Amino acid sequence: MRPMQDARHYTTTPKYSGKVLVQGTEDYERCRRMNPSADTPDRFPREIHLPESPSDVSQALKRAAQLKTTVGVRSSGHIMNFPGAIQDGILIDTLNLNRRIEYDPVSQEICFGPACRVEELAAKLKEVNRFFPHGHAPTVGSAGFLLAGGQGWFVRGWGATSQTWITKIEMVVPDGRTVIASRTENQDLFWAARGSGLAFFAVVTRFWGRTIERSNMWETILKFEINSANYLPLMTWAIERGRDTPKYGTDLNMTIDYPEKYDPKYTTDEAPKHGKLQMTLNILCYCDTLREAQTLLGAYEKFTPEVRDALVRLEPVQPRTFEFVFDRKRGFLGNGKQERWQINSIMNDPKVPLDQLLTAIKPCMLELPTRTTSVFLCHCDIIPNEEDAALSLPQDLYISTITGWSDPALEPAIYQPMIERYRRAFPVAIGQYITELDVNKEEANCRVLSDTALAKFLKIREKWDPQVLFPNYKALVKTHDKMAQLEKRNAHL
């Protein structure tokens, strides 16, 4: 029986009565449910540990071994299916673990703990007049973001954040030791940590990342009415204009949703009966002057007649701040009230022609089950180097639908429509972003690492965690086996 969710807001700085919370107490349940989605799975760890130092983490791992159980880790709770909550296991919540940010003016590196939030990093970087490509959503925790690879700001040219910006990582490994991993020390751990996400088999306690001099952010916004009739030409135009845009220093994002999503007059989850979907392009760049910005974003000034007819609003290139974008993101997802969220996603196979891709994902883009559901698409242009990191699938376009609702009576039926639509799109996908691997619903999952990267990861994991203290890697194996069987079956059809 699911406990009733109260109206308490999700906060990034909750206070609890101690470092170890046990099942049956008010603080335990409040902590377990401290996620941006009110839809917390019915899995109950035996204890929740809130370490403040590596030695506290070591004690938590020893406690798990003593209890003969396993460990999950949470940095902010933005992975909506909550893989850190393992039934009867130990949940290590890194909320207070090295929750500080330091900048070294000599090395020009920033150092921070696993639960330091995106908005906290942005504030420190502004203070020291530097840039580091943290995430886009203000309350996301650093460890979840970086272990997944990191689709950070201006990722297109500068690479995933853990690929090209992280220089070393401090972590507590399963035997309780604190070690440093980098390109010159414990290289296998450094390789495995960057891209394995929920499957990683240690607890990160600190990151170090290089920074560059701060510049200026600029944005142009284009809004269109989108429907079944103009979907193909409009989406084709938007994606091709992105491919015409220089990679370095640009951040290209698309959303599709109902304007009524944010209208306070609407209080139900139902999609508006006569609602018209809108596609919004938030096109940003990072450079010194307005003149440079207008040049970088100039591809979006070229309209075809059909695209111009769909145009609802155009905002010219103008200055932006990270704080402005964060405030906009707060209204999009994760207010921590009664909202409940499910994310389904794919990354396209770059070899699949664009028209074939757009036809396959059309139901995911236009058949939104609720008023608060949104589509999100961004140009990533991440080219992986599997020799350097576990991050191993090319990320051309990241495509997702975020189903939102508030009435728990809609569950479990609400999950299935988008799961099915994305399953039908698997043939045009190279895989999915590892943060969306759903430990609750295997049918929603597809490949998250290449076969060779997964094989290498499993060997490294066996070396460092032979007792399987961290079991979530099994979800990757199960999904990859499933996809291999599907692909083999399809090859014989």
Side-chain angles (χ1 to χ4, degrees), residues 136-156:
H136 294 71
T139 59
V140 162
S142 300
F145 170 72
L146 289 168
L147 291 176
Q151 294 175 343
W153 277 101
F154 312 110
V155 64
R156 302 183 67 217

Side-chain angles (χ1 to χ4, degrees), residues 216-220 284 290 293 316-321 324:
N216 299 309
M217 187 191 297
W218 310 86
E219 181 181 39
T220 182
L284 301 103
L290 174 61
V317 178
Q318 55 197 292
R320 282 288 186 256
T321 64
F324 180 92

Side-chain angles (χ1 to χ4, degrees), residues 347-364:
M347 298 180 299
N348 67 302
D349 183 343
K351 299 190 297 292
V352 172
L354 182 56
D355 59 345
Q356 185 179 337
L357 169 69
L358 292 177
T359 299
I361 65 172
K362 186 176 180 179
C364 309

Side-chain angles (χ1 to χ4, degrees), residues 67 157 229 347 417 435:
L67 294 173
M347 298 180 299
T435 58

Side-chain angles (χ1 to χ4, degrees), residues 239-259:
I239 291 171
E240 294 291 8
R241 293 293 73 74
R243 290 175 173 167
D244 290 341
T245 298
K247 289 183 180 181
Y248 286 88
T250 57
D251 203 275
L252 315 179
N253 308 285
M254 172 196 297
T255 56
I256 298 174
D257 51 27
Y258 289 106

